[in-house]
């Protein structure tokens, strides 16, 4: 077990996480904790939130190690979760931060009867839809967090994405839970690549919903393998679990192109697919960022792009490809796979130009 070492005020080697506090404001449940002198909060009108220290510990473990500082939780934490901190921190060191200090927490024995409810972290993307369609017989809740991929200040876009999640949940007969948080505004989070820290941030959702959800599904990497920078991983996600809630990484067994082939015929996917990471304007997909281009090309390879109004039915696809400056080696392999799978015509020529710009001739 990890010994608890009291964090001294002003000790720059320590990141103190104060005991979380919960409160009700009308229909809204809020949970907040002071972390390194700044307040982090989560709130929802859809479900009661548990004031779980594990939520803050999971969300901030990678940022603390990025900063080269030790995360200290002042409130006692589930002994199952604290026992997993050692292998979890070791795995993170092995990936990115050799020599980074480990976290400290007070283990507490808890007798919990996990809920039978299974939630899926859902953004409306390829991986989320693929996981939902594969596990729909188990999933009864779709959870989405405003403040993760869409910023709190992007109110119109946040409202549009939240409405999309609620619409999909209603059509499929499951519950939707929308949370809001300022987590990514914290200096520790802002100093850490989101691609590394988002796995712990998603795990935080499980602990916050532990009173009503017994298992949270996190979708595996859409490239068909684990990118070395991606922070949601098959070997570590489950280590964020506690006696009250399990976390399951749905490891991909097929490539992203095959995932898209499997989901492209579903009308609910055609109406709602959202992959964009630029968050430009009010459209769910900008149609110009690399992730939009990658997805449009996959749909084109499957002869399905014209059925997706969210991408303007593919108009301007070649210009969009030519607008991508370059891609890294791992993502480039995806474009090479598209060519190998038979992508042809002007779109294929555009991909060849992109690969040439990326040094993959």
């Amino acid at each position: 077990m990890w010994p608890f070492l009291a964090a001294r005020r002003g000790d720059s080697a320590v990141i103190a996480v104060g005991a979380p506090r919960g409160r009700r404001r009308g229909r809204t449940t809020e949970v907040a904790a002071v972390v390194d002198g700044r307040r982090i909060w989560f709130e929802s009108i859809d479900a009661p939130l548990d004031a779980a220290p594990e939520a803050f510990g999971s969300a901030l473990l990678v940022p603390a190690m990025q900063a080269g500082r030790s995360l200290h939780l002042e409130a006692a934490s589930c002994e199952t979760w604290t026992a997993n901190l050692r292998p979890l921190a070791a795995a993170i060191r092995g990936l990115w931060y050799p020599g980074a200090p480990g976290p400290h927490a007070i283990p507490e024995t808890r007798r919990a009867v996990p809920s039978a409810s299974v939630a899926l972290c859902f953004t409306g993307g390829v991986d989320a839809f693929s996981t939902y369609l594969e596990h729909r017989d188990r999933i009864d809740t779709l959870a989405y967090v405003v403040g993760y991929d869409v910023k709190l200040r992007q109110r119109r876009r946040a409202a549009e994405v939240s409405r999309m999640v609620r619409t999909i949940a209603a059509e499929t007969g499951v519950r939707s839970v929308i949370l809001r948080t300022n987590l990514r505004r914290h200096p520790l989070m802002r100093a850490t690549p989101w691609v590394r820290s988002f796995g712990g941030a998603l795990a935080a959702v499980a602990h916050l919903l532990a009173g009503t959800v017994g298992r949270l599904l996190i979708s595996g990497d859409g490239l068909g393998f684990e990118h070395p920078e991606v922070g949601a991983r098959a070997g570590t996600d489950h280590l964020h679990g506690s006696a009250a809630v399990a976390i399951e990484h749905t490891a991909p067994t097929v490539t992203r192109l095959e995932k898209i082939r499997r989901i492209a015929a579903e009308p609910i996917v055609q109406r709602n697919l959202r992959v964009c990471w630029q968050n430009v304007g009010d459209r769910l997909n900008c149609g110009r960022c690399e992730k939009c281009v990658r997805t449009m090309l996959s749909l084109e390879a499957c002869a399905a792009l014209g059925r997706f109004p969210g991408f303007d039915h593919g108009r301007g696809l070649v210009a969009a490809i030519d607008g991508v400056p370059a891609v890294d080696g791992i993502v480039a392999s995806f474009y090479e796979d598209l060519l190998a799978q038979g992508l042809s015509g002007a779109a294929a020529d555009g991909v060849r130009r992109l690969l040439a710009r990326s040094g993959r001739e």
Side-chain angles (χ1 to χ4, degrees):
M1 300 297 179
W2 288 100
F4 176 70
L5 302 179
R8 300 186 300 276
R9 186 177 299 275
D11 185 349
S12 61
V14 167
I15 296 170
V17 180
R21 298 286 184 264
R23 65 171 180 165
R24 292 294 299 261
R25 294 181 287 107
R27 296 172 56 204
T28 302
T29 302
E30 180 191 81
V31 169
V34 176
V35 177
D36 209 28
R38 293 177 180 255
R39 187 171 180 269
I40 294 176
W41 54 264
F42 294 84
E43 66 178 24
S44 178
I45 63 172
D46 297 316
L49 301 184
D50 190 24
E54 300 86 0
F56 295 86
S58 286
L60 293 159
L61 180 58
V62 168
M65 297 180 77
Q66 164 91 19
R69 300 167 65 192
S70 181
L71 193 70
H72 288 239
L73 276 67
E74 295 180 354
S77 304
C78 170
E79 65 178 350
T80 300
W81 182 82
T82 57
N84 285 335
L85 284 177
R86 186 184 299 275
L88 183 56
I92 294 169
R93 286 191 196 98
L95 285 167
W96 308 307
Y97 309 120
H104 298 272
I106 306 169
E108 177 181 71
T109 301
R110 296 180 186 171
R111 290 181 172 84
V113 180
S115 167
S117 177
V118 177
L120 168 66
C121 289
F122 190 83
T123 61
V126 170
D127 300 324
F129 266 121
S130 178
T131 298
Y132 174 74
L133 293 170
E134 184 177 353
H135 299 276
R136 69 177 100 188
D137 58 329
R138 295 200 290 152
I139 296 167
D140 56 44
T141 303
L142 301 181
Y144 175 71
V145 184
V146 175
Y148 278 7
D149 64 329
V150 176
K151 296 180 174 62
L152 287 174
R153 69 170 183 269
Q154 296 173 308
R155 294 183 181 181
R156 291 179 62 183
R157 183 168 181 79
E160 182 67 23
V161 176
S162 298
R163 185 161 45 248
M164 177 267 293
V165 174
R166 293 195 189 283
T167 297
I168 292 169
E171 286 188 27
T172 55
V174 301
R175 180 176 64 152
S176 60
V177 175
I178 308 297
L179 299 91
R180 298 176 72 252
T181 182
N182 70 339
L183 175 68
R184 290 196 67 181
R185 291 180 174 178
H186 194 282
L188 289 167
M189 295 297 297
R190 294 171 66 179
T192 306
W194 178 243
V195 71
R196 293 182 178 182
S197 63
F198 83 95
L202 295 179
V205 175
H207 297 295
L208 292 165
L209 297 178
T212 55
V213 168
R215 180 173 294 268
L216 180 76
L217 305 187
I218 296 177
S219 299
D221 191 305
L223 293 172
F225 52 86
E226 290 190 326
H227 191 295
E229 285 292 301
V230 169
R233 310 183 70 82
T236 57
D237 283 355
H238 68 284
L239 294 174
H240 288 283
S242 69
V245 63
I247 298 172
E248 179 181 337
H249 180 100
T250 59
T253 57
V254 296
T255 66
R256 186 180 183 85
L257 182 57
E258 182 57 32
K259 279 187 178 183
I260 289 176
R261 283 200 180 101
R262 294 182 180 186
I263 69 176
E266 297 281 345
I268 196 169
V269 179
Q270 294 168 4
R271 293 193 301 271
N272 298 289
L273 184 65
R274 180 185 80 96
V275 302
C276 188
W277 56 25
Q278 292 295 326
N279 297 324
V280 177
D282 298 324
R283 295 187 59 190
L284 290 179
N285 301 293
C286 74
R288 292 293 180 268
C289 71
E290 188 277 324
K291 196 171 183 184
C292 279
V293 169
R294 189 196 316 164
T295 304
M296 289 191 294
L297 282 165
S298 301
L299 292 170
E300 178 72 6
C302 299
L305 182 54
R307 298 197 294 271
F308 282 76
F311 294 102
D312 200 22
H313 300 287
R315 286 188 284 270
L317 175 57
V318 174
I321 300 169
D322 288 336
V324 177
V327 292
D328 67 28
I330 292 179
V331 176
S333 65
F334 175 81
Y335 289 91
E336 291 168 339
D337 185 49
L338 281 173
L339 294 175
Q341 294 295 320
L343 183 70
S344 61
D349 292 339
V351 169
R352 292 187 186 97
R353 290 192 295 273
L354 173 58
L355 290 172
R357 292 194 299 276
S358 306
R360 301 281 285 207
E361 294 182 283

